[in-house]
Amino acid sequence: MDAPEFDVAGRNVLVTGASQGIGEAIAKTFAAAGASVAICSRSMDRVGPVAEEIEAEGGTAFATECDVRERDDVEAFFAAAAEELGGLDIVVNNAGGEFVAPFEDISENGWDAVVDLNLGGTYRCAQVAGEYLRGEGGTIINIASVNGQHPAPGESHYGAAKAAIIRLTETLAVEWADDEVRVNCIAPGLVQTPGVAETLGIDEEAMPPREQTMRRIGHPEEIADLAVFLASPAASFITGETYTAKGVPRPGNSMSHDLGLQ
Ligand SMILES: NC(=O)c1ccc[n+]([C@@H]2O[C@H](COP(=O)([O-])OP(=O)(O)OC[C@H]3O[C@@H](n4cnc5c(N)ncnc54)[C@H](OP(=O)(O)O)[C@@H]3O)[C@@H](O)[C@H]2O)c1
């Protein structure tokens, strides 16, 4: 069956933080759907092989080093991506990270680092994305977190930054509606990635049954599929929204369990 409303083939997609985890899955899923992708991380040694894998599968991928905390890097990445791919249609602001600590132990440096990576990186990339997408019918997808919707102990800095990303998404959707730019947000629950294994010490086998309705951790591809939908024509009347994917229907934070901080 032909379903052109879900088609992203031929679109040019930029994804930040795509050397592993959710960003890698988003890049590979868009590429498998026929889109061309431009991807970055702080290390070409880490993000280059992802582009090579996409190309080996017959896709089109451009990779470069870019630290989303640096304005010059971001501007250079967008310019190179637009040049390589022949313009940009879709931007996914995925790069992010955190460390877990009780609020009283978070130093000025620690607070600034987490807020600047998550919120500052999204601010910077969205602002530069606007130069390429406004008036062109493009779309932006910001990756927030359930921690931006519900409190999680030990994640005050990260939760505050992710909550701000949700509000930034809403504001940009309003400001850029007349420029034909849709701006949406995804708030994942716990998803199995190298970052989660490293930061939270959680792996799939170690997941307790807990009150998680679906009784399992999410997979990066399950976030990637949602990103492709939000970027597709099927989502043409959706802007300023945050879509949660956490495997549990009721209010609550699927990430707040078992961190030893409750
Ligand atoms: N996994 C989850 O459970 C979960 C839940 C909710 C929200 N999220 C959000 O989803 C996004 C991806 O999470 P993940 O779990 O896939 O993370 P991850 O496994 O730690 O991967 C993070 C990616 O971002 C890149 N990155 C980190 N700092 C960067 C910087 N300054 N500039 C450019 N790239 C940078 C990393 O590449 P390099 O190290 O090579 O630079 C890596 O590719 C993040 O925004 C995270 O907050 C994740």
Side-chain angles (χ1 to χ4, degrees):
M1 190 173 65
D2 205 15
E5 64 273 27
F6 294 101
D7 193 4
V8 293
R11 311 304 298 275
N12 296 335
V13 188
L14 180 150
V15 187
T16 65
S19 65
Q20 64 181 35
I22 292 170
E24 176 182 2
I26 289 173
K28 288 182 171 173
T29 303
F30 269 109
S36 301
V37 300
I39 57 178
C40 81
S41 87
R42 290 165 298 179
S43 158
M44 191 59 192
D45 286 347
R46 284 170 44 71
V47 77
V50 175
E52 285 165 19
E53 282 177 48
I54 290 171
E55 295 257 335
E57 292 291 320
T60 302
F62 162 74
T64 193
E65 224 167 71
C66 165
D67 186 333
V68 298
R69 295 169 300 184
E70 302 292 336
R71 167 72 65 163
D72 289 350
D73 275 22
V74 170
E75 286 177 354
F77 174 39
F78 274 75
E83 171 84 23
E84 285 287 329
L85 304 184
L88 293 174
D89 305 304
I90 298 157
V91 169
V92 185
N93 292 317
N94 166 78
E98 62 161 328
F99 63 89
V100 176
F103 178 63
E104 59 272 24
D105 291 348
I106 297 176
S107 67
E108 292 269 352
N109 277 346
W111 179 273
D112 287 349
V114 169
V115 172
D116 190 43
L117 170 57
N118 292 280
L119 179 57
T122 302
Y123 145 73
R124 236 163 262 125
C125 292
Q127 204 171 56
V128 176
E131 296 170 24
Y132 294 85
L133 303 184
R134 293 174 71 191
E136 305 292 333
T139 190
I140 296 173
I141 297 163
N142 296 322
I143 306 298
S145 167
V146 289
N147 287 345
Q149 300 172 310
H150 304 284
E155 311 205 21
S156 54
H157 43 4
Y158 180 73
K162 292 298 194 184
I165 289 172
I166 291 170
R167 180 51 54 88
L168 175 64
T169 300
E170 294 164 353
T171 308
L172 286 184
V174 171
E175 288 196 9
W176 290 353
D178 287 343
D179 299 321
E180 297 173 56
V181 178
R182 293 188 301 109
V183 190
N184 289 294
C185 192
I186 296 175
L190 197 58
V191 176
Q192 186 62 65
T193 65
V196 155
E198 190 184 320
T199 314
L200 305 181
I202 292 171
D203 61 37
E204 200 148 2
E205 288 70 41
M207 285 295 286
R210 69 182 193 281
E211 74 282 1
Q212 166 70 288
T213 304
M214 293 181 73
R215 297 196 182 282
R216 67 172 176 83
I217 194 166
H219 303 298
E221 295 73 19
E222 294 174 307
I223 306 304
D225 290 343
L226 181 53
V228 171
F229 163 70
L230 286 173
S232 74
S236 56
F237 199 43
I238 299 174
T239 196
E241 301 288 355
T242 295
Y243 282 78
T244 305
K246 63 177 178 177
V248 52
R250 58 184 169 272
N253 188 339
S254 66
M255 294 183 77
S256 68
H257 68 98
D258 252 20
L259 300 181
L261 290 163
Q262 290 188 65

